[in-house]
Amino acid sequence: MRGLKAVVAVAAAMAVVGADGVIGDPLAIIIKLPSMRIPVPSHEPVEVTSSARKPAIAPSSSAYVKPTPSSSAYVTPTPSTSAHVTPPPEPTTSSSSYVAPPPASSSSVYSDEPQATQAPQGDIPDGQGNTFTVPPGAVKFPWNYNNADHVVPLTPESQNGGWAMSPNQMCKPNSWCPYACAPGYYSAQWDPSAVLFNGAGSMNGGLYADANGVLSKPNKDAAFCVRGMGNARIRNTLGASVSACQTVYPGNEAMIIPSVAGAGGSVDLNVVPSTYWLGTSSQFYVNLRGSSAEQCVWGDSDKPVGNWAPYIFGGGQAKDGNTYISVQFNPLYTSAGFSVSEAYNVEIVCDNGACNFPEGGKCKCEGGKCSVDNGCTVTLGAGASASFVLY
């Protein structure tokens, strides 16, 4: 074991679970649980702190540059409060208001669809008649829009031709080619031999293209896209849409998978279960109001999109069965000189069940500052659900 305290880390694409019950990347928001191997239930007090994992710098237009993690260290934790239990809100007939559904027996709290199972959903398609870009030497993207597998093509007019890769990258023979899934779903295909979350194999997500460009499905007993935990969503009370951009991991870690909450609407976030690749969690860069899927790209210090977006959300289930979701103000946004007044506010609100909040019973960010320095984390017990409310 690494010590007497289990560490749960979320809000980073590289949060990991160890055999000793340790979950975490030292560059992510962390929760220290007063336990050895088995973390305490969500109704027990936890300690919450954060140190931002610096978003990667955008690659050049000619080649992709693998992100380099920040060297920032843990920050001394601050005590939290005990659990906060919130009953479901009363129903409303307003078309713009969010209505929390009644408790569900499945783990997919926010969807009327049944929880997807780890079952095969057929063979790899042959393109389904799509007319996406296929550069010379590239492997064609197998799906079209609105397919039954919940796969979402990304920038199909660019070199990537629909794959979850940077627009200037191609799926080539003898390589792994990741794909994106619809909001609330995660890709259940990755290299089963990849066991280093920050080394060889960390980009090996999706399907494998052999020397002849023939694609294969590595996890044959799993669907292409599987419904996630279904217990967290964005509720947008603003007058314009907002896009949350998930990083591709395993993959190149570009923040290019969109989940868009329309004005006055909501969208599920893909919070992955503890069985996801190496126990890693989901990370989202959340753009300014008025953004769309087109802003889920590598940004730079001249424009506040992608890894220069104002907020970073994170989420994932730990081995203890609890889900940990987090919010922090992106330090790159302010360091680049972007206006804090242009960014909306965010609060994590418990919609249903037992939610454990940090000290003060709040987890929110207003005016560029969060209720806990550098961000805060909320624990969702079994059956609980929460919203990232934008206001």
Side-chain angles (χ1 to χ4, degrees):
M1 290 185 63
R2 299 182 185 176
L4 298 181
K5 287 189 176 180
V7 178
V8 178
V10 294
M14 294 167 59
V16 295
V17 181
D20 55 357
V22 174
I23 304 178
D25 170 4
L27 313 174
I29 291 177
I30 65 168
I31 306 166
K32 290 191 175 181
L33 302 172
S35 169
M36 293 179 63
R37 294 179 60 84
I38 304 175
V40 297
S42 64
H43 62 270
E44 294 291 334
V46 296
E47 297 176 331
V48 181
T49 186
S50 166
S51 61
R53 177 187 176 209
K54 183 177 180 180
I57 304 302
S60 68
S61 59
S62 59
Y64 171 71
V65 179
K66 185 74 166 62
T68 302
S70 160
S71 60
S72 60
Y74 285 148
V75 178
T76 303
T78 55
S80 76
T81 63
S82 58
H84 170 73
V85 180
T86 302
E90 292 298 323
T92 175
T93 57
S94 169
S95 59
S96 62
S97 299
Y98 164 66
V99 179
S105 57
S106 84
S107 59
S108 181
V109 177
Y110 284 126
S111 177
D112 292 332
E113 300 181 50
Q115 179 77 7
T117 58
Q118 291 286 91
Q121 288 182 250
D123 297 328
I124 299 172
D126 61 359
Q128 299 178 333
N130 77 53
T131 57
F132 302 162
T133 298
V134 186
V139 178
K140 183 177 178 65
F141 190 69
W143 291 274
N144 208 333
Y145 291 109
N146 302 317
N147 56 78
D149 292 320
H150 304 287
V151 174
V152 176
L154 300 182
T155 57
E157 73 286 351
S158 299
Q159 294 287 95
N160 63 311
W163 296 99
M165 305 169 76
S166 296
N168 63 335
Q169 288 183 290
M170 298 186 301
C171 172
K172 297 180 179 180
N174 295 314
S175 68
W176 287 88
C177 303
Y179 55 86
C181 295
Y185 287 79
Y186 66 91
S187 170
Q189 300 296 324
W190 55 76
D191 181 359
S193 68
V195 295
L196 297 174
F197 50 85
N198 197 26
S202 64
M203 295 182 68
N204 296 354
L207 307 179
Y208 183 73
D210 67 13
N212 297 314
V214 177
L215 295 167
S216 62
K217 185 179 180 184
N219 302 322
K220 299 185 184 302
D221 293 332
F224 294 106
C225 293
V226 174
R227 181 99 184 134
M229 295 300 296
N231 54 3
R233 61 166 47 184
I234 291 176
R235 181 168 24 129
N236 180 11
T237 69
L238 306 173
S241 63
V242 173
S243 56
C245 309
Q246 184 181 350
T247 55
V248 183
Y249 194 69
N252 66 9
E253 295 189 69
M255 56 298 296
I256 56 178
I257 303 176
S259 295
V260 181
S266 61
V267 67
D268 283 358
L269 288 178
N270 169 31
V271 177
V272 293
S274 60
T275 54
Y276 188 64
W277 181 70
L278 301 186
T280 53
S281 62
S282 304
Q283 179 172 334
F284 305 83
Y285 289 82
V286 188
N287 287 316
L288 291 168
R289 75 186 77 199
S291 57
S292 65
E294 285 67 38
Q295 278 73 55
C296 286
V297 294
W298 283 93
D300 57 44
S301 58
D302 292 328
K303 48 184 177 292
V305 299
N307 48 327
W308 264 267
Y311 286 103
I312 303 172
F313 295 174
Q317 185 192 37
K319 292 296 184 183
D320 63 356
N322 292 325
T323 296
Y324 298 87
I325 60 175
S326 62
V327 57
Q328 73 173 91
F329 206 81
N330 187 355
L332 280 189
Y333 181 86
T334 50
S335 66
F338 297 124
S339 173
V340 171
S341 63
E342 292 182 4
Y344 44 83
N345 303 314
V346 178
E347 181 174 5
I348 297 178
V349 175
C350 189
D351 294 327
N352 183 53
C355 304
N356 198 4
F357 283 83
E359 183 176 12
K362 297 285 186 180
C363 179
K364 63 180 181 180
C365 298
E366 293 182 332
K369 296 182 179 180
C370 298
S371 51
V372 176
D373 288 345
N374 300 318
C376 51
T377 301
V378 174
T379 306
L380 307 181
S385 58
S387 294
F388 291 82
V389 179
L390 315 184
Y391 59 98

